[in-house]
Amino acid sequence: RHWRRRPRAASSAPTKATPETRAPRRTTLLRMLWLLLTYRSRGPLPLLGTSRLSGRVWPNDLDSNLHMNNGRYFTLADLGRFDHGLRSGLWERALKRGWRPVAGDCGGRFSASLQPFARYELESRLLGWDAKWFFIEHRYKLGERVAAVVAVRYLFVSKQGPVPTAEALALIDHHEPSPELPEWIARWRDAQDALVGQLKRDAGLRR
């Protein structure tokens, strides 16, 4: 009996990181560590206050068009969210309880390129919340010009599951209602909810 060797299936294991793919992640982790060590020196921040961080476009931020890669805007926005959360006290107290902040959706609008070695300012502010999600806006600014806007909705997750925003806000004794969400954020939220519903229906059809 003759045996034929079957072709090997493509491996589902993650591709081994190269120095090029590791570098941005390593840099972001170092920046996050620096924020953790220095956030107290930047002073407390009101929950609805604006975090401002200065940055520069480095070679590992660039894409083939030699401006900042669109994915980096979302990655660096994590730093603004981290700084805002720590300085407002919300993330500090949530993390002490073992709650993890988890992004559910994000979207971006790019108006101007960030060129190599350009200096920019990252402004991050909480726009509001509903029963489940916090909505935060990140603006990349070149002087007074807004180069890009990234919107993120996130929540905290405990061992028991998602934490309602009211329960999270109680950690910092904040019991005021949310400011009215900007219309564009409300429409974006509704679009994301519609997408989630469609994905659930699609998953049900495949079962």
Side-chain angles (χ1 to χ4, degrees):
R1 184 176 181 178
H2 298 285
W3 295 90
R4 291 184 179 180
R5 186 177 181 180
R6 294 183 178 179
R8 297 179 63 181
S11 173
S12 60
T15 304
K16 185 176 180 181
T18 65
E20 290 77 12
T21 59
R22 285 197 303 263
R25 177 175 174 81
R26 186 186 307 128
T27 302
T28 303
L29 290 176
L30 288 175
R31 292 176 182 177
M32 195 165 286
L33 177 61
W34 177 81
L35 290 175
L36 181 62
L37 295 174
T38 61
Y39 78 93
R40 294 185 188 279
S41 67
R42 289 188 295 283
L45 189 69
L47 181 66
L48 298 175
T50 300
S51 160
R52 292 180 173 85
L53 299 174
S54 297
R56 185 187 288 272
V57 181
W58 297 107
N60 62 351
D61 295 324
L62 305 179
D63 61 15
S64 58
N65 291 322
L66 297 182
H67 58 202
M68 190 151 88
N69 184 297
N70 55 10
R72 294 295 283 162
Y73 289 89
F74 295 97
T75 299
L76 295 173
D78 290 350
L79 301 178
R81 210 153 52 254
F82 190 55
D83 183 65
H84 182 281
L86 289 175
R87 292 171 59 200
S88 68
L90 180 60
W91 283 33
E92 180 183 23
R93 298 191 184 185
L95 291 171
K96 285 180 179 179
R97 288 203 168 201
W99 298 354
R100 296 177 294 109
V102 178
D105 307 274
C106 58
R109 163 68 186 173
F110 309 103
S111 301
S113 296
L114 292 182
Q115 300 297 319
F117 304 108
R119 288 188 177 275
Y120 62 87
E121 186 172 63
L122 173 60
E123 293 184 349
S124 304
R125 65 188 182 110
L126 186 65
L127 298 177
W129 54 89
D130 59 20
K132 182 177 181 180
W133 300 102
F134 291 99
F135 298 87
I136 191 165
E137 176 195 74
H138 305 279
R139 292 191 175 205
Y140 290 83
K141 298 183 70 175
L142 292 169
E144 293 302 313
R145 183 179 185 184
V146 178
V149 176
V150 170
V152 176
R153 68 175 182 177
Y154 74 90
L155 47 66
F156 292 100
V157 177
S158 70
K159 292 181 180 179
Q160 288 71 42
V163 178
T165 53
E167 187 176 344
L169 290 170
L171 296 179
I172 56 172
D173 296 322
H174 188 94
H175 304 285
E176 298 295 323
S178 169
E180 184 177 359
L181 292 174
E183 182 180 0
W184 69 272
I185 279 288
R187 289 177 178 271
W188 177 72
R189 174 200 58 195
D190 294 343
Q192 299 306 308
D193 289 344
L195 175 59
V196 170
Q198 183 62 55
L199 292 174
K200 288 181 178 179
R201 288 190 293 273
D202 292 347
L205 290 174
R206 289 195 295 268
R207 290 175 183 172

